Amino acid sequence: MSASPVRRFHDPGLTAHHFAGSQLVRCPRCARVAHRTRQPAPHDGHGHGDLDGHGGRPPGFRLVCRSCGLNRAPGEPVPVTVLWLSARTRHGTIWAYNLEHLDLLRRFVAAGLRERDPWYTHGPKMTSVGRLPAWMKAARNRAEVLRVIDRMRASVVNSR
């Protein structure tokens, strides 16, 4: 009898900011999946960009819904949007910005062995998986968390 190999996860060192530039949100018009992306700030012609104190505008978000055709450019008023990839469990809320973020969470939760770089190496110490709540990291909740993550992934795939 051979034991099944243990799934390994090595923390890539990504923070939530890495995923925040592209978000799946609920469309304010039709309540289906919309895509919200961060747009770079326009330059003022003198090489000055966003938030540099020289009159540059801060970066905005573009909101596009493929279902109803909603298209809001940066600078236009955009109603408050709710993340599409968000679900409640009996322990708390699981959320992700996009499918890449959700995949990282799934690989982390499914892994039996979770590895990080040693504390003395360079790079961020509190990565997105390092900041997860203890109930999400616990092996006893693994099946429930994976079931919710798979349900959230299916909601995106089925709504496109």
Side-chain angles (χ1 to χ4, degrees):
M1 262 191 259
S2 65
S4 62
V6 176
R7 289 187 182 179
R8 287 180 164 222
F9 175 84
H10 183 78
D11 188 356
L14 302 174
T15 61
H17 180 71
H18 172 80
F19 303 105
S22 173
Q23 303 171 7
L24 294 177
V25 296
R26 187 173 310 275
C27 176
R29 186 188 295 167
C30 70
R32 300 208 45 185
V33 179
H35 193 216
R36 182 177 147 176
T37 55
R38 183 182 305 270
Q39 300 295 313
H43 292 282
D44 62 1
H46 301 289
H48 301 113
D50 59 293
L51 298 178
D52 60 358
H54 299 285
R57 290 182 20 210
F61 283 95
R62 175 176 292 281
L63 180 66
V64 177
C65 178
R66 292 171 53 184
S67 297
C68 68
L70 177 69
N71 188 358
R72 298 283 169 93
E76 291 183 32
V78 177
V80 176
T81 54
V82 179
L83 285 176
W84 183 265
L85 298 172
S86 177
R88 295 215 24 95
T89 67
R90 62 190 171 115
H91 304 288
T93 303
I94 300 173
W95 61 270
Y97 285 122
N98 52 37
L99 290 175
E100 181 186 8
H101 191 195
L102 191 67
D103 180 57
L104 179 77
L105 294 178
R106 188 182 198 308
R107 287 186 293 119
F108 176 79
V109 172
L113 179 62
R114 300 167 182 159
E115 300 174 321
R116 298 181 64 173
D117 288 332
W119 64 270
Y120 52 80
T121 59
H122 296 289
K125 303 300 180 218
M126 289 303 290
T127 62
S128 61
V129 294
R131 292 179 179 267
L132 291 175
W135 63 266
M136 204 168 176
K137 297 177 186 181
R140 68 178 177 268
N141 300 328
R142 182 175 292 149
E144 180 182 357
V145 172
L146 288 174
R147 191 170 42 252
V148 171
I149 288 174
D150 290 341
R151 198 176 308 135
M152 289 191 317
R153 182 173 189 73
S155 76
V156 173
V157 173
N158 294 338
S159 66
R160 285 188 172 189

